């Protein structure tokens, strides 16, 4: 069913009997041309673009839980393309362009809100770094504005500009950045992929990967063996574990990233604002709650829950930037698993196992990358070669030293 005014009228007068399921619940076939492991945003987007852009519809997406139960539903919904280095700039701008046309493309309201992303700076060195980043963005045709202190004050008057330790000097603003409803992204891609013939198999956990003579032949699952010609892994924070089933050891660590939401308040914050000195970011949801987060937990973990020291650290940073936050009640928190690559940039590539493809290493940037990730991964699987936009996200860059170290902080996951 295509959503529009006519379907709204039909459902208004027809009741629940007129509401069709958004996607089918098929039984697994014995074999597929392509199997995607991971029913999150990246896996679903890959299946959608495989069918839509490349005509590959004999595809199955395997999800061990329910669709969207992983990292795509465990983030703070921020989208942006304010990157500096060659490779990241073009890739994330492609993602931004896809975000801007996403709802019309898959006929689903993803609540795309281009409210602006503002990165604060607190020193001359940070200002120079943001000036360089903004120049790089504009050279690639991406919007960027370097604001002084008064420019920031006009946008966000409730900030603590005179904090003795980290006074706010200005900020870098990308007005096209903003937020997107993360659950709707998963549902929209799932619905679009299903309508093109992709089988979405929920509660289907992969327990093994079959490799014969250096080529992948299928997967063992909790619902039986499924053969395939090509296998794509898009398992977010569990990438190391799924790749290990095929004998691959990845340059990745898994860490918890916590997020928080406050009680609902009146409209208070229009933009997404990041606190450069404290690694804190915040926006206000449509329901009124402040949605915010900070650093990853410092130890490796696959558990989707965090520890109290990071809670304290994030709240301290939030209060330092927005003193009014101290008067709010914290409504809830949650944790998602980040697969942290050693240079802070992702991996979208073929692997040494023929027919096996890898999509991982998203660090903090997984959600905003969703459309371009699916677009490029689908191209890589369908054409058996990387797209120009992910040509630099090769797995072997760590062996050859061609890393894309966006932050320049070195190969330490806890610095990204």
């Amino acid at each position: 069913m295509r959503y529009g005014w006519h379907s709204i009228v039909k459902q208004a007068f027809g009741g629940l009997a007129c509401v069709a399921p958004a996607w089918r619940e098929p039984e697994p076939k014995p074999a597929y041309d392509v199997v995607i492991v991971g029913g999150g945003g990246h896996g679903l987007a890959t299946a959608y673009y495989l069918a839509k852009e490349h005509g590959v519809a004999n595809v199955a997406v395997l999800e061990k839980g329910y669709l969207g139960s992983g990292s795509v539903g465990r983030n703070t919904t921020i989208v942006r393309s304010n990157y500096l280095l060659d490779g990241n700039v073009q890739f994330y701008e492609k993602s931004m362009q896809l975000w801007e046309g996403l709802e019309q493309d898959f006929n689903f309201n993803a609540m795309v809100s281009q409210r602006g992303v503002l990165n604060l700076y607190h020193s001359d060195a940070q200002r120079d770094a943001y000036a360089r980043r903004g120049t790089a963005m504009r050279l690639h045709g991406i919007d960027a504005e370097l604001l002084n202190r008064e420019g920031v004050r006009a946008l966000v008057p409730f900030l603590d500009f005179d904090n003795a330790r980290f006074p706010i000097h200005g900020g870098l603003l990308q007005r096209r950045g903003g937020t997107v409803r993360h659950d709707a992204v998963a549902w929209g891609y799932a619905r679009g992929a299903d309508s093109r013939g992709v089988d979405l198999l929920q509660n289907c956990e992969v327990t093994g990967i079959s490799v014969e003579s250096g080529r992948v032949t299928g997967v063992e699952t909790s619902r039986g063996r499924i053969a395939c010609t090509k296998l794509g892994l898009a398992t977010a924070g569990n990438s190391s574990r799924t790749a290990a089933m095929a004998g691959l050891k990845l340059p990745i660590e898994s860490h918890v990233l916590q997020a928080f939401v406050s009680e609902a308040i009146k409209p208070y914050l229009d933009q997404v604002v990041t606190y450069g000195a404290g690694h804190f970011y915040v926006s206000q949801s449509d329901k009124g709650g402040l949605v915010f987060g900070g650093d990853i937990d410092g130890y490796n973990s696959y558990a989707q829950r965090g520890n109290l020291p990071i809670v304290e650290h994030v709240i301290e940073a939030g209060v330092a930037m927005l003193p009014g936050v101290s008067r709010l009640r914290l409504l809830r928190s949650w944790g998602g698993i980040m697969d942290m690559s050693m240079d802070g940039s992702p991996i979208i590539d073929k692997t040494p196992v023929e027919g096996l493809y890898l999509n991982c290493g998203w660090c903090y940037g997984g959600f905003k990358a969703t459309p371009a990730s699916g677009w490029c991964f689908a191209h890589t699987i369908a054409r058996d070669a990387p797209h120009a936009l992910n040509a630099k996200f090769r797995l072997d860059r760590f062996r050859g030293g061609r890393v894309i170290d966006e932050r320049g902080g070195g190969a330490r996951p806890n610095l990204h």
Side-chain angles (χ1 to χ4, degrees), residues 153-174:
R153 193 190 297 274
L155 288 176
V156 197
F158 304 110
L159 298 175
D160 185 354
F161 287 86
D162 299 313
N163 182 292
R165 187 175 183 189
F166 300 118
I168 296 169
H169 292 182
L172 179 66
L173 175 66
Q174 185 187 20

Side-chain angles (χ1 to χ4, degrees), residues 223-295:
R223 298 174 67 176
R225 187 178 191 280
I226 299 174
C228 63
T229 306
K230 296 182 177 181
L231 178 64
L233 303 181
T235 52
N238 287 290
S239 298
S240 296
R241 294 203 287 199
T242 50
M245 296 178 186
L248 299 178
K249 186 176 181 179
L250 302 180
I252 281 176
E253 292 183 359
S254 295
H255 292 253
V256 178
L257 178 64
Q258 299 187 64
F260 309 86
V261 62
S262 76
E263 61 183 322
I265 57 176
K266 292 181 179 180
Y268 172 73
L269 188 63
D270 292 334
Q271 299 80 15
V272 178
V273 184
T274 75
Y275 180 40
H279 198 194
F280 173 85
Y281 44 94
V282 62
S283 64
Q284 187 167 17
S285 74
D286 294 319
K287 292 187 289 187
L290 295 184
V291 183
F292 53 91
D295 279 328

Side-chain angles (χ1 to χ4, degrees), residues 37-52:
V37 183
H42 292 215
L44 293 169
T46 302
Y48 174 75
Y49 291 122
L50 271 171
K52 179 175 182 284

Side-chain angles (χ1 to χ4, degrees), residues 376-412:
C376 293
F377 201 35
H379 181 283
T380 302
I381 293 172
R383 307 290 180 85
D384 205 31
H387 189 280
L389 290 170
N390 65 299
K392 294 183 182 299
F393 299 156
R394 304 293 297 271
L395 177 60
D396 65 359
R397 70 177 185 268
F398 301 98
R399 180 183 300 162
R402 302 182 302 278
V403 296
I404 310 173
D405 195 352
E406 179 70 37
R407 181 167 170 171
R412 290 179 58 191

Side-chain angles (χ1 to χ4, degrees), residues 37-379:
V37 183
H42 292 215
L44 293 169
T46 302
Y48 174 75
Y49 291 122
L50 271 171
K52 179 175 182 284
E53 301 295 331
H54 303 282
V56 183
N58 187 23
V59 178
V61 177
L62 313 185
E63 168 55 44
K64 67 178 180 179
Y66 59 88
L67 296 180
S69 58
S71 295
V72 71
R74 293 176 170 273
N75 60 75
T76 46
T77 74
I78 298 169
V79 300
R80 56 185 174 85
S81 60
N82 52 356
Y83 278 77
L84 170 68
L85 298 183
D86 189 44
N88 279 341
V89 175
Q90 299 91 336
F91 176 84
Y92 285 100
E93 176 56 17
K94 174 66 176 181
S95 205
M96 198 69 232
Q97 293 169 4
L98 290 172
W99 283 122
E100 291 172 326
L102 191 69
E103 293 163 321
Q104 291 73 27
D105 182 31
F106 62 26
N107 181 231
F108 198 88
N109 182 12
M111 300 174 69
V112 177
S113 174
Q114 292 181 280
R115 60 184 67 182
V117 172
L118 175 64
N119 304 118
L120 302 177
Y121 61 80
H122 311 270
S123 66
D124 290 345
Q126 280 190 319
R127 179 201 59 207
D128 292 347
Y130 278 137
R132 182 184 176 215
R133 180 179 298 247
T135 300
M137 292 167 61
R138 287 191 292 273
L139 286 173
H140 285 86
I142 303 170
D143 65 307
E145 301 171 41
L146 190 68
L147 305 179
N148 59 19
R149 181 184 174 98
E150 295 311 311
V152 172
R153 193 190 297 274
L155 288 176
V156 197
F158 304 110
L159 298 175
D160 185 354
F161 287 86
D162 299 313
N163 182 292
R165 187 175 183 189
F166 300 118
I168 296 169
H169 292 182
L172 179 66
L173 175 66
Q174 185 187 20
R175 294 188 186 272
R176 291 168 57 237
T179 61
V180 182
R181 173 69 185 178
H182 47 197
D183 298 316
V185 173
W187 300 335
Y189 275 125
R191 180 173 170 274
D194 174 83
S195 69
R196 288 169 170 78
V198 173
D199 282 355
L200 307 176
L201 305 177
Q202 303 182 83
N203 301 307
C204 184
E205 182 175 4
V206 172
T207 56
I209 296 175
S210 302
V211 178
E212 298 177 8
S213 302
R215 179 174 185 82
V216 71
T217 59
V219 290
E220 302 295 331
T221 80
S222 56
R223 298 174 67 176
R225 187 178 191 280
I226 299 174
C228 63
T229 306
K230 296 182 177 181
L231 178 64
L233 303 181
T235 52
N238 287 290
S239 298
S240 296
R241 294 203 287 199
T242 50
M245 296 178 186
L248 299 178
K249 186 176 181 179
L250 302 180
I252 281 176
E253 292 183 359
S254 295
H255 292 253
V256 178
L257 178 64
Q258 299 187 64
F260 309 86
V261 62
S262 76
E263 61 183 322
I265 57 176
K266 292 181 179 180
Y268 172 73
L269 188 63
D270 292 334
Q271 299 80 15
V272 178
V273 184
T274 75
Y275 180 40
H279 198 194
F280 173 85
Y281 44 94
V282 62
S283 64
Q284 187 167 17
S285 74
D286 294 319
K287 292 187 289 187
L290 295 184
V291 183
F292 53 91
D295 279 328
I296 57 175
D297 284 12
Y299 56 88
N300 297 351
S301 175
Y302 292 114
Q304 291 180 323
R305 59 181 183 272
N307 62 21
L308 289 176
I310 286 294
V311 176
E312 183 178 24
H313 169 74
V314 171
I315 300 299
E316 283 178 349
V319 172
M321 188 183 89
L322 284 163
V325 169
S326 65
R327 304 181 66 180
L328 298 179
R329 294 182 178 87
L330 188 64
L331 191 64
R332 61 188 175 93
S333 67
W334 63 95
I337 308 302
M338 307 293 104
D339 50 341
M340 308 297 290
S341 67
M342 294 300 104
D343 62 352
S345 294
I347 300 166
I348 306 177
D349 199 8
K350 303 193 302 182
T351 73
V353 179
E354 191 174 356
L356 181 63
Y357 304 83
L358 194 60
N359 178 319
C360 63
W362 291 99
C363 304
Y364 287 105
F367 180 67
K368 60 179 171 287
T370 301
S373 169
W375 178 280
C376 293
F377 201 35
H379 181 283

